[in-house]
Each structure stands twice: as structure tokens, then as C-alpha cells.
Amino acid sequence: MTLSAQSYMFVPGYVVFWLLFILALVLFSQRAYRLVRFLRLGQGDDRLDRVGTRLGGMMAYVFLQVCSLRRVSLRDRAGLGHFFIFWGFVLFSLNYLVFIFVGEGLGLSHALRDNPLFLALALVVDIAGLFILAALIWAAARRYIVRPPRLEPSAEAGIILAVISFLMVAHYLIEGFGFNIIGDPMASYTPVGRTVAGMVSGFSPGAQVTLYWVVWWLHYLFILGFLVYIPRSKHLHLPAAPFNIFFRSRGPKGALVPIELETAESFGVGKVEAFTWKQLLDGYACTQCGRCQASCPAWISQKALNPKEVIHDIKEHLLEVGPALLTGSEPQRPDLVGAVVAEEAIWDCTTCRACQEECPVLIEHIQKLQDMRRFLVLEQAKIPEAAEGALRSIETRGHPWRGTTSTRTDWTEGLEVKLMAQDAQVDYLFWVGCTGALEERNMKVAASLARLLGKAGISFGILGTEETCCGDPARRLGNEYLFQTQVQRNIELFQNYGVKKIVTACPHCFNTIKNEYPQFGGNFDIIHHSQLIAELLDQGRLKLTGGPDQVVTYHDSCYLGRHNDIFDPPRQALQGISGLRLVEMERRRRGAFCCGAGGGHMWMEESAGTRINQLRTREALESGAGIVATACPFCLQMFEEGIGALGAESTLKARDLTELVEAAGQ
């Protein structure tokens, strides 16, 4: 692959070779050590449980490029290009280690040329270089010519593309000149290098020797320069991403981390060092690929929030104030909340989890934004007026709906529904939820579900006036204290009645009770109504007689889908209805677009851009369906509003899947 070190690299060359290598390694290590010290400024976070599972997941994500490849589509092939560039990086790193540092640096080139394993590596690398060059050309065109909105042209990206391109070209030139000079037997294993040898054969032997060493040393300097540059550039993600994936959250996707209220000295995150070390590591690992922003409903609807910029700005802020913090002094710095990350951006998040679903290096955006919300609410008493009213209503009335005149049992009128206070010996506690019990449109859904459960022979009871908010709005709006108060009250109530199994039609209540109540000792078997209905249909306990022909599209609720991986049961329930044809929206399942109500936005006004629910309603209209089916009271209400705002009442209707199933069973 290269000339014999014994023939062409004399003692001064060896000395320079290793001095340069040691210098580059020192500069790399010095920067890496400093970056680790910055991470240690953050708070503790135990991420060393289930080491084997973490290691296996890291290997799959990194070496199989799981996150990149599963996002490849006809519209976006970025993951495929990244796959080739990544594996080219791996193969060429191994190649450099073997043929440069072992072959040339230790003078073992002749031994390597006789080893079948290393000859095979030479062949693989020779072919891989062509794929890498093709991927680089495509990447450059995509970033600078046909650039998608999520990518920004940057000097750093251009430098990296240029450096890697030079290394590929230099690799082939070194092969070509080397083959011509010494008749290298490896030529038969490197067809591209052999072709290049023919292309440069017109140079005189002396010129080829000179050019060989000029290119060889430039090649070596670029490799070492790349090593030094990586931890000082946006490509810090190359060494950081595997660690970030290893230390990924292993808890429920829909659960936020609680605050230890009794021992906490402050609430939320108002300074960068109040983040955990893992949250800071997220910044190092960010590739700035823009996948998160491209899927964020706030960014798409022209709000202030850009999840990519939030992660990037926190990292840059850490690098700016970190040196002073390491000395123990308080640096002059802008406010993290307000200046580094705008308050509007913090409140724009709907907690839909699309950003985290799309992130190829498993960055955890939501917890950071929620921690900064907690700081605003609990430390600075700053909260949008409408959201503040919802929290005050929970405190005084046990639910977030300020204007309702309904009671929690009005929806049961004309139905035979037991109260748990009268008879707690039931199959399920039907957790109706604040929206299902108190908002007129969703009261119809609660009644419909009650009738279906009765037809299936399921005994259930409700808490009635004893039911109070599950706490989801309080936690997502940043009031952890109010959330924990609600949780403790509800857990005690469930335990008093001996509740074991719960059914609910609200994904937000489902997620909170399933994933967050266990943080406080509340472990209950809860099922979403879409799951239970699908089970009852499969068991034959619900009989459907069919209905008129209708085209229906199903909207995946964020808290049912991305947060809890429930995608098929709602569709199975709908597909059990004869005469119903299910069509899909372009953005569906894990890639579904948010309705705009999550993260407390059910009780907040959108002050900028386009309303998120109108964007999603347009997608439902584009599907050609006459009905958009939901499995969430928030989504149902947002679609009703969106349909009205777009004047599409004659074209599209919003229905809960319970209503469709009940209608088909009559």
C-alpha cells in the first residue's frame, strides 16, 4: 500500500513521524480532558445500570447505524450517505492504524504485505474509498446546492468534507506512486490504486518518489490535524456520540425525572451547571443534523423553539463559562433562561417527543426544556397567564378547566354507572379524566366507552366527585410541587379502594399513571381504551354489525404513540369495522405530527406562527378521508377546533374510535 519504510523512511523521518504523533495526541488529550472537566460541573446522574444492555445498544446504534438507516426514505436518504461515510471513517481509521502507524511507523511494511488478513483489509479499503468519495460529493451537493431547510451551510462542514476528500484522493495517489516505484505485490488487491498507478505512470521515477513523499507527509499531517481538530469543532460528536448512546435513558420514555422537593436547594435549571452531566454530554454529542427541528411542530409552525439550537446554545454556553467555573469563580454570563434559551422557546414545546424520536444520537431534549420551565415557574413565578389559570384551577377545583359548569358525573346521566364509593368490587376503575368528564365534546366519548364496556360485560366503577386531576398538566407546565401533591392524593385514593386495574381514554392520564406514578410508589395496571377495545373485539366480546362505507384516517396521539409505543391497537379496532376503509396520513406512527395540545398547550394560546392543530387538520384533509379518528380527548378537541377554523365541517368530521366502534355495533 505504501513504500517500504526501511527503504524510504530514514532515521530523521522516524523521529519527525513520532514527534508529530505525540504532539497531536497531547493536544487531543488536553482538549478531551478539559471537556470532561466541564461535564463534571454538572449534577450527578446514575447512568450505569444494566451495563450489558447499554453496551449492546451502543454497538447496534453505532456500528449498525440503526438510527440513521431506519430514517432513510425516498424523500431523505441522508442516513444512507452517513452510513457510507461512517463506515469509511471506521475502515480508514483501521487502515491508518495498521499501514501507517504499524507499517511505516514501526517499519513493518514488508510483513504486512505478506499477511492475507491485511491484504483483505487493503482490498476492502480500496473499494470503500470510492463509495466514500461518492457520498462526499452527494453530501456537498446536498448541503450547498439542494440544501433542505434543516441543514445550514457552515465553514466547519465544508472543512470536514474537504479534509476527508483530500484523504481519499491522497490514499489513491500514495498507492499509485508506490506501485510504480517498487512494483508493490499488493497492487493486485487494490484495483483502484492500480488504476491510479497507470494514470501517473508518465511521471519520471524521481518525480514519482518526490511526489509520493510529499503526498504521504501531507496525508499524515491531515490525519493528525483532523485528530486535533475534532474535539474543537462541531465534529466533537464523533467521540462523544457513542458515550451518549451508552448513557441513554433506560426509564419509560414518557416519564420526566422528579424533583426531590424535601431536599432540593433550588428547583429546575437556571444555570448551566444545574443540568446533569448527561444533559451536558448531549451537547457534545449533537451532530447538528437538524432532524429534531425538521420534525418539531413548534419550529414547523414558525414558533421560537428550535430544538437543535437549544442543544447547541447550551453547549456553547458551557464552553464559554466553563473555564471560569473550573476555577471556582462566578463568571460574567448571560442568563441561561431568557438570554441563552429564550423563554418563548421554552414554553413553545408541546413535549410531543418527535425531536427525541428523530435524533440519531439519542439526545434528550424534553427534560432540559421541562427543567427550565420548572425554574421559571417555581423559582421566578413566571408562567403564561392562561397556563397559570389552569394550575390555579387544579389547586382549587381539582381540574384545569376554569370555565366549565359541568360536574364530574354529568356525563353519566341515563347510564348505569357505579361509583367506587358504592361498590369497589369491579374489574376496572374507569379513570375518566378531567377532559373526558368536564368538556362537553368528550363527555360523549366517556358515555360511549361506558356503553361499550357494559355490552362487553366488563364491570367498572368511577370515582365521580372523588376523581381529581392526575397531575399531567401541572408537571408539564413546570409546577412539580402541585404535580406531586396530586399524585400522592390519587395514589392514596386508589389504595383505599384496592384498585388494581384501570382503564382510561386519555393518553396523558395513561402515561402519567403508568410511567410516573411508580416514581412515588404507585404501581397500577392501567390500559388505554384503544387497547381494551381491540382485545374485546379479538375475543368476540364486542360484536360489530358494520356500518355505511366510510374512509377514515387515524391520528396517532403523541402520548399514546411515541411516548408509549401504542400504534397498532387503535388501527386494529378500526379495521374490525366492516365498510370502513382506513387510509394513512403522510406523517403517521412514530413520525406523526402533533395536534398541538401536549405540554400544557391545551390551556395555552399560540402567540406566533400558524396554529399546530390547523397544520395537522390540513394533513387529515389531504388524506382524502371523511373522518379523522382519534384516541385522545385533547386530539379530538384540537381537530374539532381545526376543522372549524378551516371551514371544513362539510368535508371532515372528528370522532373518537370509541364512537366509531359503538356506531358499528348497533
Side-chain angles (χ1 to χ4, degrees):
M1 182 144 195
T2 55
L3 295 176
S4 167
Q6 294 175 346
S7 301
Y8 291 92
M9 185 179 279
F10 303 106
V11 172
Y14 282 118
V15 173
V16 173
F17 178 94
W18 287 111
L19 283 178
L20 288 174
F21 174 72
I22 292 170
L23 176 61
L25 192 61
V26 167
L27 292 174
F28 175 86
S29 301
Q30 185 182 53
R31 179 64 172 176
Y33 175 67
R34 191 169 183 81
L35 291 172
V36 171
R37 290 187 68 197
F38 289 163
L39 291 184
R40 295 183 65 184
L41 292 169
Q43 305 303 303
D45 192 356
D46 183 10
R47 297 286 182 121
L48 282 174
D49 60 310
R50 293 180 279 183
V51 172
T53 301
R54 290 182 177 278
L55 187 60
M58 182 194 74
M59 299 294 285
Y61 272 93
V62 174
F63 291 105
L64 298 181
Q65 291 285 282
V66 170
C67 273
S68 293
L69 290 181
R70 73 183 177 92
R71 288 168 176 79
V72 173
S73 66
L74 292 176
R75 297 180 61 183
D76 192 343
R77 299 181 180 86
L80 191 61
H82 190 275
F83 175 85
F84 285 118
I85 293 174
F86 168 80
W87 269 105
F89 176 81
V90 171
L91 290 171
F92 271 84
S93 294
L94 181 60
N95 176 70
Y96 297 146
L97 178 65
V98 172
F99 288 102
I100 293 182
F101 295 104
V102 176
E104 300 289 5
L106 298 180
L108 299 177
S109 293
H110 286 302
L112 296 180
R113 285 177 172 80
D114 296 329
N115 189 301
L117 184 62
F118 295 130
L119 291 175
L121 174 61
L123 174 61
V124 171
V125 169
D126 194 68
I127 301 301
L130 292 179
F131 286 94
I132 297 168
L133 282 171
L136 290 169
I137 293 170
W138 171 79
R142 189 168 179 274
R143 183 171 286 274
Y144 297 104
I145 300 176
V146 289
R147 179 175 59 87
R150 67 181 175 87
L151 291 179
E152 299 176 2
S154 68
E156 280 190 300
I159 290 171
I160 296 299
L161 290 174
V163 168
I164 299 176
S165 298
F166 171 79
L167 291 176
M168 297 301 101
V169 173
H171 166 79
Y172 288 128
L173 287 174
I174 291 169
E175 283 189 334
F177 287 130
F179 297 156
N180 289 337
I181 295 168
I182 63 174
D184 200 322
M186 287 179 63
S188 60
Y189 292 89
T190 50
V192 181
R194 188 169 64 248
T195 301
V196 173
M199 295 170 62
V200 299
S201 61
F203 290 95
S204 68
Q208 292 201 46
V209 170
T210 300
L211 289 172
Y212 171 88
W213 283 114
V214 169
V215 176
W216 194 97
W217 279 104
L218 283 174
H219 183 250
Y220 183 56
L221 289 172
F222 267 70
I223 293 169
L224 298 183
F226 196 46
L227 179 68
V228 174
Y229 181 68
I230 282 175
R232 293 167 172 82
S233 72
K234 71 184 288 289
H235 284 72
L236 173 60
H237 74 269
L238 289 172
F243 291 100
N244 204 59
I245 294 169
F246 177 83
F247 290 118
R248 66 197 181 279
S249 173
R250 298 296 304 167
K253 293 191 294 185
L256 297 177
V257 177
I259 295 176
E260 298 295 334
L261 296 173
E262 295 182 359
T263 59
E265 296 181 0
S266 60
F267 304 106
V269 171
K271 294 184 177 181
V272 70
E273 62 268 30
F275 284 119
T276 68
W277 63 264
K278 171 57 177 67
Q279 289 176 311
L280 298 178
L281 178 61
D282 279 349
Y284 292 178
C286 179
T287 68
Q288 297 182 45
C289 65
R291 289 185 180 276
C292 56
Q293 76 179 46
S295 62
C296 174
W299 188 81
I300 291 171
S301 61
Q302 301 89 46
K303 307 293 191 296
L305 173 62
N306 182 327
K308 179 187 74 174
E309 293 302 322
V310 169
I311 302 301
H312 176 71
D313 290 345
I314 290 173
K315 180 191 77 172
E316 291 300 312
H317 183 58
L318 172 65
L319 297 179
E320 179 184 346
V321 303
L325 292 175
L326 289 177
T327 67
S329 61
E330 175 58 35
Q332 294 291 324
R333 53 173 156 174
D335 292 334
L336 172 67
V337 178
V340 177
V341 182
E343 291 183 24
E344 293 87 348
I346 293 170
W347 288 112
D348 281 342
C349 179
T350 65
T351 67
C352 71
R353 207 178 182 276
C355 54
Q356 293 185 208
E357 188 68 35
E358 289 297 321
C359 181
V361 293
L362 307 187
I363 288 171
E364 298 161 19
H365 308 72
I366 293 175
Q367 186 67 53
K368 294 181 190 62
L369 291 163
Q370 288 293 307
D371 283 339
M372 289 186 283
R373 275 192 191 181
R374 289 167 171 175
F375 173 78
L376 285 170
V377 174
L378 298 176
E379 291 284 344
Q380 297 192 333
K382 290 183 178 180
I383 186 171
E385 183 178 353
E388 183 181 16
L391 294 179
R392 191 180 302 115
S393 184
I394 294 174
E395 289 177 346
T396 58
R397 305 169 68 187
H399 63 78
W401 295 105
R402 291 182 295 165
T404 183
T405 58
S406 302
T407 70
R408 285 192 177 270
T409 57
D410 285 357
W411 68 271
T412 66
E413 185 176 349
L415 301 174
E416 295 182 4
V417 177
K418 295 180 181 178
L419 291 173
M420 295 293 285
Q422 298 170 340
D423 181 5
Q425 301 302 310
V426 293
D427 296 330
Y428 288 94
L429 164 65
F430 176 14
W431 178 267
V432 186
C434 302
T435 304
L438 299 168
E439 282 297 295
E440 183 177 358
R441 176 63 184 90
N442 278 287
M443 290 165 67
K444 298 176 183 177
V445 177
S448 179
L449 179 56
R451 288 190 290 267
L452 281 179
L453 294 177
K455 288 180 181 179
I458 300 292
S459 66
F460 66 93
I462 64 172
L463 292 169
T465 56
E466 290 185 284
E467 185 177 294
T468 186
C469 182
C470 70
D472 167 82
R475 175 166 259 195
R476 268 68 196 176
L477 287 171
N479 194 330
E480 181 74 6
Y481 177 82
L482 179 57
F483 165 74
Q484 293 192 23
T485 300
Q486 292 298 117
V487 170
Q488 296 295 353
R489 182 190 184 282
N490 287 328
I491 289 176
E492 182 178 349
L493 185 63
F494 292 168
Q495 291 174 342
N496 287 343
Y497 281 120
V499 171
K500 296 293 189 295
K501 300 171 72 175
I502 303 170
V503 60
T504 183
C506 178
H508 296 262
C509 297
F510 171 82
N511 176 74
T512 298
I513 296 171
K514 179 178 185 289
N515 296 322
E516 296 182 324
Y517 276 35
Q519 296 172 346
F520 306 93
N523 294 284
F524 306 97
D525 183 4
I526 185 167
I527 189 171
H528 187 258
H529 79 311
S530 64
Q531 295 174 294
L532 183 56
I533 290 172
E535 288 181 10
L536 295 174
L537 288 170
D538 186 59
Q539 296 167 1
R541 297 177 67 178
L542 278 177
K543 304 290 186 181
L544 302 184
T545 58
D549 292 344
Q550 50 193 342
V551 181
V552 177
T553 188
Y554 173 69
H555 164 76
D556 290 279
S557 159
C558 301
Y559 272 73
L560 194 63
R562 278 187 292 267
H563 283 277
N564 286 283
D565 299 317
I566 298 173
F567 300 102
D568 291 327
R571 289 174 169 82
Q572 291 167 356
L574 292 170
Q575 288 167 345
I577 302 173
S578 61
L580 183 150
R581 182 166 67 89
L582 187 64
V583 297
E584 295 283 4
M585 286 183 265
E586 182 176 355
R587 286 190 276 201
R588 57 192 180 274
R589 293 182 175 266
R590 296 190 186 279
F593 196 68
C594 179
C595 76
H601 279 259
M602 192 72 178
W603 300 275
M604 294 167 59
E605 289 297 324
E606 294 184 48
S607 58
T610 306
R611 292 185 64 86
I612 295 172
N613 66 329
Q614 292 181 21
L615 292 178
R616 187 55 167 168
T617 302
R618 288 193 181 99
E619 292 185 352
L621 287 166
E622 290 168 2
S623 73
I627 295 174
V628 55
T630 73
C632 171
F634 291 6
C635 297
L636 179 60
Q637 195 158 324
M638 297 303 278
F639 273 111
E640 293 265 320
E641 293 178 4
I643 291 169
L646 296 178
E649 294 92 339
S650 62
T651 306
L652 185 67
K653 307 294 182 185
R655 297 287 184 267
D656 188 273
L657 69 88
T658 302
E659 297 174 306
L660 295 173
V661 170
E662 186 187 18
Q666 293 176 349

